[in-house]
Amino acid sequence: MPVQSKEAPKDKFSLRLLADTVAAYIAGAAVAPIISAVDRGLAENASGKQALLPSFVNSMKAMVARPVTFFTSPQFFWIWLVYGSTYAAANTCQTICDRRKQDVAIPKLMSTFMVNTTTCIAKDQAFAKMFGTKAAAAVPMQSYAIWLTRDILSMGVFFTLPPIAGKKIAEVTGNERSGYYVAQFFCPLVFQTFLTPVHLLGYDVYNHPNNTIAQRIQFLGKDYWKNVGMRCVRQAPPWSIGTIGNSELRKYFTNKFTA
C-alpha cells in the first residue's frame, strides 16, 4: 500500500501535464487561422506589398478554397506554434505550482514571457522574410529589440493585469469570475492603442532601415486606427477569447484524463 500511495500522485501529475498540453495545442489551433491572416496582412501592408484588408481577405479565401494547403502552410504553423506553446507554458506552470503549493503569478509571467517571446520573434522574422518586398535578409537587432519590448509589455497586459483589474470589476459586479472574464477580454484590446505602433515599428526598421525618425512617425501615423482595429481583431482570439477557451479545455481534459 505505501508504494501505491506514492505512485498514484505521480501518475496523476503526468496525466495533468498531458491534459495541459492537449488543451493548449487545441486552443492554439483554434485561434491560429484568423491570427495568421491578420499577421500576414500587417506584414504585407508594412512592406507595401499589399494593402491590409485585401491581404486579410485573400488569406480567408485561401483557407476556405484550399484548406489543406492553408493548414499545412508556414503561415498557419508559425502561429499555431506561438500560441499553442504559450498556452502550454501557462498550463504546465499552473500545474507544477499547484503541486508545489507555490504562488503562480511570477512563475507564470516569466514562463509565458520566455516562450511567447522566443517563438513570436522567430515568427516575426519568418513573416518579415516571407511577406516582405525585398529579398530575404537578416533581421536587424533593432527590430528584435523593438519586438522584445512589445512582448514584455504584452505579457504584463495579458497575464498580470487582468486578475488585478478583475478583482476591481468584481467589486462592482459582485462576481469574481465574471470580473476576471471582463478584464481578460478588454485589457488586451484597450492596450493595442500603444502596442500596435511598437509592433509595426519593428517591421518598418526591417523594411526601411534608413528611414529618419520623422519618416517613422509618419509611417506609424498612416492607417493608425485601421491598424489598431486590425490588431484588436488579431488579439481578441488569442488573449480575449483563447485564454478563456484554453482554461475551459484544460479543466475538461484534466477531468477526463484523471477521472
Side-chain angles (χ1 to χ4, degrees), residues 44-144:
E44 291 188 331
N45 187 63
S47 69
K49 186 175 182 179
Q50 189 173 199
L52 183 62
L53 291 178
S55 175
F56 176 78
V57 171
N58 286 341
S59 290
M60 291 291 96
K61 287 181 178 178
M63 181 179 66
V64 175
R66 300 182 299 278
V68 174
T69 301
F70 180 86
F71 286 105
T72 57
S73 68
Q75 175 182 341
F76 173 81
F77 272 110
W78 272 112
I79 302 300
W80 188 17
L81 172 68
V82 170
Y83 292 98
S85 300
T86 302
Y87 294 152
N91 291 350
T92 55
C93 182
Q94 181 74 54
T95 296
I96 293 169
C97 287
D98 287 347
R99 192 182 194 223
R100 295 178 176 176
K101 297 181 179 179
Q102 175 184 352
D103 183 73
V104 74
I106 299 301
K108 181 181 281 189
L109 177 61
M110 294 306 297
S111 62
T112 53
F113 166 70
M114 291 295 293
V115 171
N116 185 263
T117 297
T118 53
T119 56
C120 211
I121 287 179
K123 180 269 298 180
D124 285 333
Q125 178 185 18
F127 270 51
K129 290 181 178 180
M130 286 190 296
F131 306 125
T133 53
K134 64 179 183 179
V139 175
M141 289 304 299
Q142 295 96 317
S143 289
Y144 284 125

